[in-house]
Amino acid sequence: MNLTAEQIQDNWNQFISNIEEHISSPRKEKLVEFYEKYAERVMLMPAAHKKEYHNAFPGGYVEHVNRVVAAALRLYDVWSEFEMDRSTFTIEELVFAAINHDLGKIGDENHESYLPQTDIWRKDKLGEDYMFNKELAFASVPDRGLFMLQSHGIQYSFNEMLGIQTHDGLYDDANKKYLMSYMPESRPRSSMPFILHQADLLAARVEFEREWLPKFKNPVPSQEKNFTLGDKPRNAQNKQQKALGSIKSEGLKNLLDSI
């Protein structure tokens, strides 16, 4: 999928609007200043590095985050309808965590996380339109995102930290310690992490369907030659004949010759 320049700009405007509408001062101003500092990088970022994942195209990151914010707000209403305890977190905390849940994907102050793929084979055969920046020190996406916030003086609550840390749910084994406890006292004290995970899951699934389901319905014929067992290279056939010549049993020879 490709976004137009107008769509990328509109998505960015909505991104900033989400901050201005749902985040209170003085954190709102700090967050806007932070994102404006990296605006060009963030606006054009993909949400993932390969086509098989979601929104792996320029502008895909911001579009994904906007969808997660919208989904989180809708799911808040659904959970409220089913009598979730709304006193345990605020809508600002939910939106803050949604806006910043994938922040670690931007890299750090000096290095972008995703770079255009230079390996033609990996791009064509593996669908990797982007590659990871090897100059960037390794950190998980949640850890890097939280570090970037604190290093720019943007404070976050415990609920926001836990929401960002566990937004991938049990798809990330590191979250088991928070989400798979069998002791009531060590389970999350609010439903916010679950709402955020569901919003992220919903957004990623919809983006997958939009990209891939049409291709499944109308597959493009492969241009690659489909080799069969009869298409054995000449040198392989010669080696096989030489090997078969040393076998005395006609039955075994016929069996191997058919492979």
Side-chain angles (χ1 to χ4, degrees):
M1 179 175 178
N2 293 313
L3 299 178
T4 65
E6 291 76 14
Q7 288 174 317
I8 290 175
Q9 185 62 57
D10 288 345
N11 288 339
W12 178 251
N13 293 341
Q14 180 61 52
F15 182 85
I16 297 299
S17 178
N18 286 335
I19 298 174
E20 294 176 336
E21 180 179 353
H22 296 286
I23 309 303
S24 59
S25 298
R27 199 165 58 155
K28 171 174 63 179
E29 289 75 19
K30 288 186 177 181
L31 203 55
V32 170
E33 180 183 3
F34 168 80
Y35 277 109
E36 292 290 359
K37 177 180 178 181
Y38 300 102
E40 184 175 344
R41 185 195 303 187
V42 177
M43 284 176 68
L44 297 176
M45 271 177 54
H49 78 289
K50 64 185 302 182
K51 296 174 183 176
E52 285 73 12
Y53 302 155
H54 62 96
N55 275 26
F57 50 80
Y61 174 86
V62 172
E63 193 205 43
H64 171 71
V65 171
N66 288 348
R67 184 172 285 108
V68 172
V69 172
L73 290 171
R74 292 287 293 274
L75 287 168
Y76 176 88
D77 292 336
V78 173
W79 279 66
S80 296
E81 183 180 347
F82 284 85
E83 301 182 358
M84 166 190 70
D85 186 348
R86 292 180 292 180
S87 69
T88 57
F89 68 99
T90 66
I91 291 180
E92 176 174 347
E93 287 179 313
L94 177 62
V95 174
F96 181 93
I99 289 171
N100 298 294
H101 77 280
D102 270 345
L103 174 59
K105 292 182 177 180
I106 77 167
D108 61 20
E109 290 86 347
N110 302 311
H111 305 94
E112 297 184 43
S113 182
Y114 298 129
L115 299 175
Q117 180 62 265
T118 57
D119 188 322
I120 302 301
W121 186 89
R122 297 191 71 87
K123 183 173 182 178
D124 293 343
K125 302 299 182 182
L126 302 181
E128 296 180 359
D129 289 337
Y130 297 87
M131 60 182 181
F132 293 108
N133 188 349
K134 295 180 180 178
E135 294 185 13
L136 182 65
F138 172 77
S140 70
V141 170
D143 288 346
R144 191 187 305 284
L146 292 169
F147 175 80
M148 288 290 285
L149 289 171
Q150 66 87 20
S151 67
H152 287 77
I154 301 170
Q155 294 185 333
Y156 44 82
S157 69
F158 181 86
N159 280 337
E160 291 163 348
M161 177 202 71
L162 190 60
I164 292 171
Q165 195 76 52
T166 63
H167 75 267
D168 277 329
L170 291 175
Y171 288 100
D172 185 344
D173 286 343
N175 296 332
K176 288 183 177 180
K177 59 183 177 290
Y178 291 112
L179 305 178
M180 285 189 66
S181 172
Y182 298 101
M183 297 183 293
E185 62 270 22
S186 59
R187 293 179 182 178
R189 301 296 174 93
S190 84
S191 295
M192 198 186 95
F194 304 102
I195 295 175
L196 181 58
H197 171 56
Q198 289 181 358
D200 187 33
L201 183 65
L202 184 156
R205 174 64 197 186
V206 168
E207 290 155 8
F208 165 81
E209 291 184 358
R210 179 182 62 182
E211 177 74 20
W212 286 97
L213 292 191
K215 296 177 182 178
F216 297 151
K217 294 177 182 178
N218 301 291
V220 178
S222 174
Q223 300 299 315
E224 297 181 3
K225 177 176 173 59
N226 294 319
F227 289 98
T228 66
L229 291 176
D231 296 325
K232 299 173 183 175
R234 185 177 300 275
N235 61 340
Q237 291 178 334
N238 292 338
K239 290 180 180 178
Q240 184 188 47
Q241 292 301 322
K242 185 176 181 180
L244 290 174
S246 64
I247 297 176
K248 296 181 180 180
S249 171
E250 288 298 322
L252 182 57
K253 185 184 295 186
N254 291 336
L255 175 63
L256 294 175
D257 189 45
S258 66
I259 299 178

